């Protein structure tokens, strides 16, 4: 590109060689400088005699020149351009910008953002309570036998949240039992109290870790899946279809999911308890040289039914919480595909936070009542 | 159960002074029109003018900011949930995306409403579902999942589902969007056929001019610039006699003096 001043005060832009998006565009600065210089050019003309090849790179360059010129009230001489380019420029300029299309996006100030954040927390809490109310209503309808959902759905959900979750729950709780025993063994060995590893692992698994680990796995596995399923149904207008068909999604989708997890979580937790104790036993037998039968008897005497019962109770509460957060985030999902991903992520985070907070509260409560 | 067929001029649906808004953003105001029983009513306007939103108001998925919607002489907006459900039981809806339940086969999709709201036995449900599917040209696809069939077929399956309970009113949101010209013509014929044979009242959101003129008895035109409706009446008459240039431009595919702005927006 070359710029030259013509005698009559016009600016000639000479374009030569091959111009393309692939080879990059020259700097725009010289033209800007020329246009700003004193005295300003009266008009801009183009010389494309040596222009060999061009694509929309040249076009965008020319349109920028046009924009700049019209800003400064400088005329341009399009007649010197090749016919194709001239037509394309005319096309680019033909449709005025739709004012409505540009969303005003004012960046809120710091204080405003704090306020908006606080409002968001508030409205989020309100929505959650609202959803809780609906879920409770749906449960009441279930008890009166008026809730509408398909038995097949419930069966499939139970299968998915039960049997199919066993392998991963086994693996994790086995390892957790192993870790607990390992940490305990190192400490207890100092006092020659190795045998109490069985108590430690047994009670920790039954009261806390069995339910907790199962819950965290299920939050990541099933809670996220629920949010994604329901979110996709929202995006795909399936939720709208259900509503207008007179099948409330809260009964049709949310209730069976809550039931499935509420029923399956206690079973998973009990299973996790035993697998965890086996994990502890492996450490006890191999590292502490305890005979298996001794480890077994020590465990059996340490853990009583109340310990199991507290774990089971917690597990079913966790199950409801996981399903609740998964379904809540799914129902709140926006109407595009990326919102589904956000819903799934958010379901896991909400689920785990709720599980841990509830667990802390329950543990304190149990302690107060001496359970 | 065939609804007793009253006089054809009786209003099946009436929209009164409706204002539609998302939060504080008013989309359309002062919409008033009525839809005659057993007529085919077209809602038209450029993309983003609020056609789907209007439909959502009429089926209770969105609450009006102001105004009322009546089915017959009964207010839908002020009805309690149980009454609304009863009113909607007479309504079938084909959503813009088809909205088939992706975890169910086509036969199960169509059969779902039958399963929940009728006393039919499973075998009978399947028979009815397969009959409805054959009405829309999907015989033999009963056991396919929505993901296994094309977009056009999904739309038709959605229609079969909307017709499951023999509704008195059918809503269509852009039925021909994404269909090839032949399928879209067949759909128009099907719509006419439904009206002739069952006396169904049909409300169609579309901007396919061919469909508008072939099937439309009445129409309403939503104009995003003035944020209200600017014409009602028979589409062919509006094309020839409307005194509003925007309506004429729209109905004549943009070749009416002022530039093809509407058409541009159509595509956008
Ligand atoms: N959930 C929503 N929240 C806010 N604005 C919306 C929402 N849905 C649609 N809109 C706005 O309403 C307008 C009309 O949308 P819609 O009814 O889908 O138009 P149409 O069906 O005529 O193409 C659009 O401009 C869109 O931006
Ligand atoms: Mg739409």
């Amino acid at each position: 590109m070359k710029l030259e001043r013509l005698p009559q005060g016009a600016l000639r832009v000479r374009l030569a060689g091959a111009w393309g998006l692939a080879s990059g565009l020259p700097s725009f600065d010289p033209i800007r400088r020329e246009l700003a210089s004193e005295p300003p050019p009266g008009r801009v003309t183009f010389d494309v005699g040596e222009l060999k090849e061009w694509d929309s790179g040249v076009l965008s360059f020319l349109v920028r020149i046009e924009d700049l010129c019209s800003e400064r009230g400088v005329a341009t001489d399009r007649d010197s351009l090749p016919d194709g380019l001239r037509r394309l420029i005319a096309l680019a300029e033909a449709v005025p910008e739709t004012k409505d299309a540009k969303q005003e996006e004012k960046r809120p100030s710091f204080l405003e953002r704090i306020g908006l954040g606080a409002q968001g927390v508030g409205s989020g809490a309100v929505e959650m309570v609202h959803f809780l109310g609906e879920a409770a209503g749906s449960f009441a309808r279930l008890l009166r036998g008026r809730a509408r959902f398909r038995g097949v759905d419930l069966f499939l959900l139970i299968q998915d949240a039960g049997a199919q979750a066993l392998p991963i729950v086994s693996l994790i709780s086995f390892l957790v039992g192993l870790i607990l025993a390992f940490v305990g063994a190192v400490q207890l060995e100092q006092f020659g109290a190795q045998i109490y590893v069985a108590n430690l692992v047994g009670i920790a698994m039954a009261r806390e870790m069995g339910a907790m680990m199962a819950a965290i796995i299920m939050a990541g596995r099933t809670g996220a899946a629920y949010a994604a399923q329901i979110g996709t149904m929202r995006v795909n207008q399936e939720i709208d279809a259900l509503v207008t068909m007179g099948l409330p999604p809260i009964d049709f989708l949310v209730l069976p999911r809550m039931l499935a997890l509420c029923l399956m979580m206690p079973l998973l937790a009990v299973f996790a308890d035993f697998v965890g104790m086996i994990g502890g036993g492996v450490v006890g037998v191999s590292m502490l040289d305890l005979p298996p039968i001794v480890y077994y008897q020590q465990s059996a005497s340490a853990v009583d039914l109340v310990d199991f019962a507290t774990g089971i109770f917690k597990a079913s509460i966790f199950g409801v919480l996981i399903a609740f957060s998964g379904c809540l985030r799914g129902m709140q999902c926006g109407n595009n595909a990326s919102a589904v991903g956000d819903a799934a992520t958010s379901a896991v985070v909400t689920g785990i936070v709720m599980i841990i907070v509830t667990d802390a509260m329950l543990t304190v409560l149990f302690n107060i009542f001496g359970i | 159960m065939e609804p007793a067929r009253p006089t054809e001029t009786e209003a099946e649906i009436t929209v009164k002074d409706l204002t539609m808004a998302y939060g504080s953003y008013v989309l359309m105001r002062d919409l008033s029109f009525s839809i005659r029983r057993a007529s085919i009513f077209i809602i038209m306007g450029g993309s983003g003018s609020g056609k789907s939103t209007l439909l959502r108001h009429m089926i209770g998925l969105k609450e009006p900011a102001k105004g009322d919607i009546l089915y017959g002489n009964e207010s839908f907006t002020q009805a309690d949930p149980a009454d609304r459900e009863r009113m909607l039981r007479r309504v079938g809806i084909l959503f813009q995306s088809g909205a088939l339940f992706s975890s169910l086969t086509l036969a199960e999709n169509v059969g779902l409403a039958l399963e929940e709201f009728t006393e039919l036995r499973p075998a009978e449900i399947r028979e009815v579902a397969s009959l409805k599917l054959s009405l829309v040209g999907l015989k033999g696809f009963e056991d396919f999942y929505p993901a296994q069939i094309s977009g056009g077929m999904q739309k038709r399956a959605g229609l079969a589902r909307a017709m499951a309970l023999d509704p008195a009113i059918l809503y269509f949101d852009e039925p021909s969007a994404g269909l090839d010209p032949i399928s879209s013509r067949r759909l128009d014929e099907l719509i006419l056929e439904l009206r002739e044979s069952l006396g169904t009242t049909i409300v169609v959101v579309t901007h396919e001019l061919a469909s508008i003129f072939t099937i439309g008895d009445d129409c309403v035109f939503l104009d995003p610039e003035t944020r209200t409706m600017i014409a009602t009446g028979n589409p062919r008459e509006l094309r020839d006699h409307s005194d509003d240039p925007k309506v004429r431009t729209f109905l004549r595919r943009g070749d009416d003096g002022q530039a093809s702005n509407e058409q541009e927006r159509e595509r956008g």
Side-chain angles (χ1 to χ4, degrees):
Chain A
M1 179 188 71
K2 268 208 206 94
L3 299 177
E4 44 192 326
R5 280 296 180 114
L6 299 181
Q8 308 88 350
L11 175 69
R12 176 149 72 188
V13 182
R14 185 196 294 271
L15 308 175
W19 277 60
L21 290 168
S23 49
L25 300 176
S27 162
F28 202 68
D29 286 336
I31 296 182
R32 205 191 302 275
R33 230 177 292 125
E34 279 292 336
L35 282 171
S37 66
E38 285 298 327
R43 50 192 278 106
V44 174
T45 65
F46 301 99
D47 178 359
V48 289
E50 291 164 47
L51 185 62
K52 290 201 189 68
E53 281 172 27
W54 56 270
D55 61 12
S56 49
V58 135
L59 182 66
S60 80
F61 195 76
L62 290 174
V63 169
R64 265 171 85 184
I65 297 184
E66 291 270 349
D67 284 349
L68 206 61
C69 288
S70 67
E71 227 169 75
R72 292 173 185 276
V74 178
T76 54
D77 184 12
R78 285 189 204 168
D79 294 342
S80 43
L81 291 174
D83 193 36
L85 266 177
R86 213 165 50 227
R87 294 233 297 262
L88 285 173
I89 293 178
L91 194 62
E93 289 180 340
V95 183
E97 192 170 0
T98 313
K99 279 182 227 83
D100 266 3
K102 255 201 191 134
Q103 305 251 344
E104 294 171 46
E105 224 170 80
K106 203 168 54 120
R107 238 186 110 67
S109 73
F110 179 64
L111 277 179
E112 244 178 293
R113 282 210 300 277
I114 293 180
L116 287 175
Q119 272 184 353
V121 171
S123 65
V126 169
E127 275 180 41
M128 205 180 265
V129 171
H130 186 80
F131 190 71
L132 185 64
E134 282 191 46
S138 168
F139 194 70
R141 281 197 292 280
L142 173 75
L143 293 183
R144 281 186 289 144
R146 311 252 326 256
R148 276 206 191 98
F149 61 85
R150 294 170 29 128
V152 191
D153 285 352
L154 180 61
F155 177 78
L156 289 175
L157 288 166
I158 283 181
Q159 192 178 10
D160 179 72
Q164 287 174 17
L166 278 182
I168 178 81
V169 169
S170 320
L171 175 68
I172 300 290
S173 29
F174 181 81
L175 291 177
V176 166
L178 207 88
I179 294 166
L180 279 176
F182 208 79
V183 173
V186 175
Q187 302 300 317
L188 292 171
E189 228 178 354
Q190 295 174 6
F191 310 104
Q194 296 93 317
I195 186 66
Y196 288 105
V197 164
N199 298 44
L200 175 85
V201 173
I203 292 183
M205 284 315 294
R207 291 192 77 103
E208 280 296 332
M209 297 313 279
M212 175 74 106
M213 289 329 288
I216 290 189
I217 293 163
M218 295 308 277
R221 186 185 177 277
T222 308
Y226 289 175
Q229 286 160 7
I230 296 180
T232 311
M233 292 184 74
R234 162 129 293 178
V235 174
N236 195 21
Q237 294 182 301
E238 289 172 48
I239 303 277
D240 290 345
L242 279 177
V243 171
T244 50
M245 280 167 74
L247 300 170
I250 195 91
D251 287 7
F252 203 77
L253 299 174
V254 176
L255 187 59
R257 285 172 169 74
M258 291 212 174
L259 282 180
L261 270 186
C262 181
L263 293 176
M264 286 301 107
M265 271 295 293
L267 301 185
L268 286 177
V270 170
F271 183 77
D273 293 347
F274 285 115
V275 177
M277 286 182 214
I278 293 173
V282 168
V283 171
V285 170
S286 64
M287 220 178 93
L288 306 173
D289 294 327
L290 296 170
I293 186 70
V294 172
Y295 190 92
Y296 167 76
Q297 279 166 351
Q298 184 71 18
S299 296
S301 68
V303 186
D304 60 22
L305 267 182
V306 174
D307 294 323
F308 275 113
T310 51
I312 290 172
F313 176 72
K314 278 183 186 173
S316 50
I317 304 261
F318 293 162
V320 172
L321 291 177
I322 296 165
F324 178 80
S325 54
C327 297
L328 170 73
R329 295 305 180 212
M331 293 297 281
Q332 286 174 336
C333 178
N335 49 12
N336 59 59
S338 73
V340 176
D342 295 343
T345 312
S346 171
V348 177
V349 174
T350 315
I352 291 183
V353 169
M354 286 214 255
I355 288 165
I356 300 209
V357 170
T358 312
D359 189 33
M361 292 194 301
L362 286 177
T363 306
V364 171
L365 270 183
F366 288 155
N367 198 18
I368 291 174
F369 292 112
I371 300 172
Chain B
M1 27 150 223
E2 173 95 347
R5 217 192 268 192
T7 49
E8 301 243 317
T9 50
E10 194 177 320
E12 176 89 81
I13 307 164
T14 312
V15 172
K16 251 195 207 163
D17 283 332
L18 178 69
T19 296
M20 314 193 287
Y22 283 105
S24 59
Y25 172 65
V26 174
L27 197 57
M28 284 278 151
R29 59 167 61 88
D30 304 331
L31 301 181
S32 290
F33 55 87
S34 59
I35 298 172
R36 290 174 296 133
R37 185 154 292 166
S39 70
I40 298 178
F41 189 89
I42 311 265
I43 299 173
M44 57 188 186
S47 289
S49 56
K51 305 181 298 292
S52 299
T53 308
L54 175 55
L55 212 63
R56 294 176 68 80
H57 279 83
M58 296 169 76
I59 55 182
L61 289 174
K62 193 155 173 18
E63 296 305 312
K66 188 175 145 281
D68 199 356
I69 290 153
L70 294 93
Y71 280 85
N73 294 321
E74 200 178 352
S75 166
F76 179 70
T77 310
Q78 281 146 31
D80 61 34
D83 284 331
R84 277 191 178 199
E85 202 185 314
R86 173 174 51 76
M87 288 186 226
L88 284 178
R89 194 65 48 78
R90 300 176 56 236
V91 169
I93 301 145
L94 171 59
F95 287 91
Q96 195 160 351
S97 60
L100 294 172
F101 302 118
S102 49
S103 58
L104 305 183
T105 64
L106 298 193
E108 287 170 335
N109 260 287
V110 179
L112 183 61
L114 297 166
E115 196 178 301
E116 299 293 332
F117 301 116
T118 68
E119 302 296 320
L120 297 179
R121 283 187 294 274
E124 295 163 336
I125 289 178
R126 178 154 174 115
E127 229 162 76
V128 177
S130 130
L131 170 77
K132 301 278 166 177
L133 282 170
S134 67
L135 284 182
V136 295
L138 286 175
K139 205 177 179 59
F141 287 92
E142 285 85 355
D143 295 320
F144 281 60
Y145 283 92
Q148 297 170 316
I149 58 176
S150 75
M153 289 157 84
Q154 286 180 12
K155 274 244 162 95
R156 280 186 276 151
L159 175 56
R161 186 181 68 186
M163 299 189 313
L165 291 176
D166 292 334
I169 304 167
L170 264 174
Y171 288 102
F172 291 76
D173 195 353
E174 305 208 4
S176 45
L179 292 192
D180 61 276
I182 295 169
S183 310
S184 129
R185 251 195 85 130
R186 280 206 44 198
L187 199 62
D188 284 350
E189 282 161 13
L190 187 62
I191 292 174
L192 282 172
E193 195 59 48
L194 284 173
R195 193 265 303 266
E196 297 309 326
S197 56
L198 297 169
T200 314
T201 306
I202 295 173
V203 182
V204 188
V205 166
T206 183
H207 41 218
E208 284 290 308
L209 289 179
S211 308
I212 293 176
F213 296 128
T214 329
I215 62 175
D217 295 321
D218 290 305
C219 69
V220 57
F221 185 91
L222 303 183
D223 176 39
E225 268 154 40
T226 54
R227 301 208 181 282
T228 186
M229 53 190 247
I230 53 175
T232 51
N234 179 289
R236 281 169 295 270
E237 271 164 33
L238 284 181
R239 172 188 54 188
D240 301 331
H241 306 296
S242 171
D243 41 11
D244 194 305
K246 271 187 251 181
V247 178
R248 281 200 314 263
T249 308
F250 187 94
L251 290 175
R252 293 179 192 176
R253 208 173 256 287
D255 54 24
D256 187 75
Q258 64 169 0
S260 54
N261 242 351
E262 301 290 346
Q263 294 290 317
E264 288 300 337
R265 206 167 299 134
E266 282 289 286
R267 259 176 261 143

